Amino acid sequence: LQKELKKRYGFKEIKEISKILKASANIFKIKCDNEYYILKEYQSSYKLRDILKEEQITNLLKEKGVPTAEIVLCINGDCAWEYNGHVFVLQKFVEGVVMGSHTSSPKAIIESAYYLSKINLILKDIQLEKEDNISDWLTPESFLKTEQKYDKIIEECNKHGKDFKFKKIKEDILIKKKLLQELIENKKVINSLVNVTHMNSHGDYSVLQFIYEPDKSKIKAILDLSVAVKLPVVWEVIRSYTYIDPKCKEGKIDIKNLIDYVKEYMKNIKLSKTDLAMMPYVYLIQLLKSSFGYSEYVLDNSENKEQLIEFAFWRTEMCKWLASNAEELSKELKLLDKKKNKRGEYIKQFKVN
């Protein structure tokens, strides 16, 4: 790394390189020439063109008032470089506070909804190569792949006898399989899911991507736009809410708080009645189909597997809550479709300066 950084950025002295433990990509904190930087090594699935798009999106959002990190250009003007099949990007270090999941204030929760709506609005008309269409989540092939993945995890768990953690993992997987089958058989919901609105979005928007001012008063930077994608926008709305509100810490949703979050979002982005009604089901089916955390613990023996398995346990608790309360939550969200102004129109969308 020292050799590549000196060659590509012209640094004279590199005083410190430390790895920051993350869930997926490798992140390094670098001190060069008395300045701090963040170097990100992307997974092998990312290509240089993906990162070039990230630079364009980052610059666009910054121009329109969304705080983002600043990418440092190489000596030759490139924003990224490749080494051994991996793409690297250097960013200026953002001094501030990183807040964990479920630790934010009511003000910070609402600010999260505001910036998500602004990102969706700014990215509305740009062309993205990536699309995560919910129709692809609902194919027989996709369900079969999930089933096979879960069966493999169960098979591995059986090899560990009565070990408590593996026993709980197996129980969770069996619960998710059962709930997924029940949801698949709900044809009314499945048929409605394909009609939700897809929009360009961050792709991994949550409090985990925010750097706050030192006094935690507001967001100073929103990170990691490399996964920007067109997706079911209500998924990003409800998911980001469940990561930030302390009342979701035990895997349950505070319906009133979620309603407030969605109302803030809808000041800028219109959601249809179908979007509102299907929001909990979009999140539920995505969670039920994901083995993230379990696979990393049981199959991959990942470096940070203890952190990831706790996250997986939390997501299964959220699945159980949603499965029991999705219908009630759907009814409450649909009422927002009737919140119109005196002219019978939605609140006017703000204009991007």
Side-chain angles (χ1 to χ4, degrees):
L1 282 178
Q2 289 191 46
K3 179 181 177 182
E4 291 297 319
L5 288 168
K6 288 178 179 179
K7 178 178 72 175
R8 295 178 185 279
Y9 298 97
F11 293 133
K12 296 178 181 179
E13 183 181 11
I14 299 177
K15 296 183 177 180
E16 177 186 334
I17 299 180
S18 57
K19 187 175 180 181
I20 301 173
L21 192 61
K22 290 277 283 185
S24 50
N26 288 328
I27 308 291
F28 302 90
K29 185 177 180 181
I30 315 286
K31 186 178 182 182
C32 303
D33 302 340
N34 296 317
E35 295 285 343
Y36 282 101
Y37 301 88
I38 292 294
L39 180 70
K40 182 171 182 178
E41 176 189 1
Y42 291 84
Q43 302 96 309
S44 58
S45 58
Y46 284 84
K47 304 304 177 187
L48 196 56
R49 65 176 181 272
D50 299 324
I51 312 308
L52 294 175
K53 178 62 74 172
E54 178 182 10
E55 182 195 25
Q56 296 171 13
I57 292 171
T58 298
N59 291 340
L60 176 62
L61 292 177
K62 189 180 289 288
E63 290 172 8
K64 303 299 184 181
V66 176
T68 59
E70 182 178 344
I71 295 176
V72 180
L73 299 181
C74 299
I75 293 173
N76 64 2
D78 291 343
C79 69
W81 44 281
E82 290 183 283
Y83 184 81
N84 282 352
H86 287 249
V87 179
F88 290 79
V89 169
L90 190 71
Q91 297 178 338
K92 288 189 176 181
F93 179 74
V94 180
E95 190 70 48
V97 177
V98 179
M99 297 175 64
S101 300
H102 313 122
T103 61
S104 297
S105 67
K107 181 181 177 181
I109 294 171
I110 293 302
E111 184 187 35
S112 170
Y114 164 75
Y115 274 121
L116 177 57
S117 66
K118 192 166 185 178
I119 289 170
N120 292 152
L121 191 60
I122 294 169
L123 301 184
K124 184 174 180 290
D125 296 319
I126 72 169
Q127 288 295 117
L128 292 179
E129 291 183 12
K130 298 179 182 178
E131 180 172 358
D132 192 2
N133 196 297
I134 197 167
S135 296
D136 297 328
W137 305 5
L138 307 175
T139 64
E141 293 79 13
S142 177
F143 290 134
L144 178 59
K145 186 177 180 181
T146 299
E147 182 86 10
Q148 292 171 339
K149 184 166 48 179
Y150 283 161
D151 287 344
K152 188 174 182 180
I153 293 172
I154 291 172
E155 181 182 346
E156 289 298 316
C157 286
N158 287 336
K159 297 177 182 178
H160 293 267
K162 296 182 179 180
D163 181 282
F164 172 77
K165 192 157 284 186
F166 283 94
K167 184 179 178 182
K168 177 168 174 50
I169 291 170
K170 179 180 176 179
E171 290 173 352
D172 277 15
I173 295 298
L174 290 172
I175 288 170
K176 292 184 78 172
K177 287 181 66 175
K178 177 178 179 291
L179 293 178
L180 180 58
Q181 186 58 43
E182 290 175 357
L183 186 56
I184 292 171
E185 291 171 359
N186 189 338
K187 297 304 180 184
K188 182 178 179 181
V189 167
I190 295 297
N191 292 337
S192 296
L193 283 172
V194 297
N195 296 316
V196 298
T197 301
H198 289 64
M199 293 183 68
N200 293 338
S201 197
H202 182 287
D204 189 21
Y205 186 85
S206 80
V207 66
L208 303 177
Q209 306 292 358
F210 304 160
I211 303 292
Y212 284 90
E213 295 284 356
D215 63 359
K216 303 181 182 179
S217 61
K218 62 179 180 179
I219 295 173
K220 191 174 183 180
I222 298 172
L223 308 178
D224 200 4
L225 288 146
S226 60
V227 290
V229 60
K230 188 174 183 180
L231 49 66
V233 71
V234 292
W235 171 79
E236 194 117 90
V237 173
I238 190 171
R239 175 182 181 268
S240 61
Y241 161 73
T242 62
Y243 283 20
I244 197 170
D245 190 348
K247 291 192 174 182
C248 296
K249 187 175 182 179
E250 304 304 321
K252 300 178 181 179
I253 288 176
D254 184 293
I255 294 179
K256 180 184 178 302
N257 284 5
L258 174 60
I259 294 294
D260 289 343
Y261 193 85
V262 176
K263 284 167 69 175
E264 178 67 22
Y265 179 86
M266 288 181 66
K267 289 179 181 179
N268 306 313
I269 298 290
K270 177 179 177 180
L271 295 175
S272 70
K273 189 173 183 178
T274 298
D275 291 330
L276 294 165
M278 290 297 104
M279 185 184 295
Y281 295 104
V282 170
Y283 194 28
L284 176 58
I285 198 161
Q286 185 272 328
L287 289 175
L288 289 175
K289 291 179 80 276
S290 173
S291 67
F292 184 73
Y294 296 116
S295 292
E296 284 69 18
Y297 191 92
V298 177
L299 304 178
D300 303 332
N301 196 29
S302 298
E303 181 180 0
N304 54 338
K305 66 177 186 179
E306 296 298 337
Q307 175 188 355
L308 294 179
I309 196 61
E310 291 305 317
F311 179 54
F313 290 153
W314 175 84
R315 298 212 306 170
T316 298
E317 289 302 311
M318 182 60 68
C319 287
K320 291 191 286 186
W321 187 91
L322 284 166
S324 298
N325 297 276
E327 186 175 354
E328 177 189 357
L329 181 53
S330 177
K331 289 178 180 178
E332 292 292 332
L333 287 165
K334 279 193 294 184
L335 294 176
L336 293 176
D337 185 59
K338 300 176 182 179
K339 305 289 185 181
K340 303 181 180 181
N341 64 22
K342 293 179 181 179
R343 293 176 298 169
E345 299 172 347
Y346 280 87
I347 301 168
K348 186 178 179 181
Q349 295 184 6
F350 69 72
K351 293 181 180 179
V352 180
N353 294 324

